[in-house]
Amino acid sequence: MNIFLSEQLKRLRKEKGNTQEDLAMHLGITTQAVSKWERDEGYPDIMLLPRIALYFDVTIDDLLGIEKERIKQQI
């Protein structure tokens, strides 16, 4: 199963009109960490996933792109 976190983070952040710095400040982490996630060079700590999902008002499944993967499996 593929995880589409980097794509989802970038899309959701841009839709909300926020910067990587905005998200980093909200989570209490560095901007470099958010940048790394969006470049698909790493993943956030699992304990941050609920906070990130709440920030974007989505489910963790949406954040990880699980629905996208389900659709691919059905085809």
Side-chain angles (χ1 to χ4, degrees):
M1 174 179 283
N2 294 325
I3 296 177
F4 299 97
L5 181 66
S6 62
E7 296 170 20
Q8 294 293 89
L9 274 176
K10 190 181 292 187
R11 182 184 61 78
L12 290 166
R13 183 180 57 75
K14 288 182 177 185
E15 283 178 3
K16 193 169 181 161
N18 289 356
T19 64
Q20 290 178 344
E21 186 175 3
D22 294 332
L23 178 57
M25 286 180 60
H26 176 77
L27 297 173
I29 59 170
T30 66
T31 304
Q32 290 83 358
V34 175
S35 176
K36 191 174 180 179
W37 303 340
E38 288 188 3
R39 291 190 318 266
D40 203 22
E41 295 177 0
Y43 297 105
D45 183 278
I46 194 167
M47 299 302 289
L48 287 176
L49 292 179
R51 292 180 58 202
I52 296 169
L54 283 171
Y55 181 78
F56 291 119
D57 194 29
V58 296
T59 66
I60 293 175
D61 281 357
D62 290 337
L63 185 63
L64 297 177
I66 300 298
E67 184 63 27
K68 193 177 201 179
E69 185 67 21
R70 283 190 188 128
I71 290 170
K72 283 173 75 176
Q73 288 179 358
Q74 290 175 356
I75 294 176

